[in-house]
Amino acid sequence: MAEEFLSNGDANVPPIDPPVDRPKKRDTVPGALRDRREAVRIIVVGSDPAITNIIYTLFVKEFAEIYEWSDSLPEPNTGKLMRVVTKYVNLD
């Protein structure tokens, strides 16, 4: 009975399509504006519950989406946890 699952007995079954990649988010900023932007990194260091509290607070204030933040990483100097988000500012 197990061989029935392993055999390709039904040749009329169409092959499974490979997974479709989600479309990439298009950059809607025109090239001229993109050249005048600067990346700024915001780093939050502390315990996991404290960092999570700050991230949720900033989300409610519409500063950054939760998914934009990095995963927790050890902060090199203190060994505490840190999470990072990158924001872009116009230099006009």
Side-chain angles (χ1 to χ4, degrees):
M1 182 162 179
E3 288 106 18
E4 293 174 10
F5 290 104
L6 298 175
S7 68
N8 192 4
D10 192 356
N12 295 328
V13 176
I16 298 173
D17 292 332
V20 177
D21 291 334
R22 285 191 276 166
K24 293 183 180 178
K25 189 175 180 181
R26 292 185 353 189
D27 189 0
T28 57
V29 178
L33 287 177
R34 192 179 319 120
D35 295 338
R36 295 188 307 238
R37 296 187 328 160
E38 180 177 328
V40 177
R41 292 210 170 138
I42 295 90
I43 302 170
V44 180
V45 179
S47 68
D48 190 46
I51 292 172
T52 300
N53 185 296
I54 293 295
I55 290 173
Y56 286 154
T57 300
L58 292 174
F59 169 73
V60 169
K61 295 178 183 288
E62 299 182 0
F63 177 77
E65 296 289 329
I66 294 171
Y67 69 85
E68 292 180 289
W69 290 87
S70 70
D71 292 333
S72 294
L73 302 165
E75 198 270 331
N77 297 325
T78 64
K80 293 182 180 182
L81 294 176
M82 71 175 184
R83 291 181 71 178
V84 181
V85 67
T86 302
K87 290 301 208 177
Y88 296 89
V89 293
N90 290 327
L91 299 176
D92 292 333

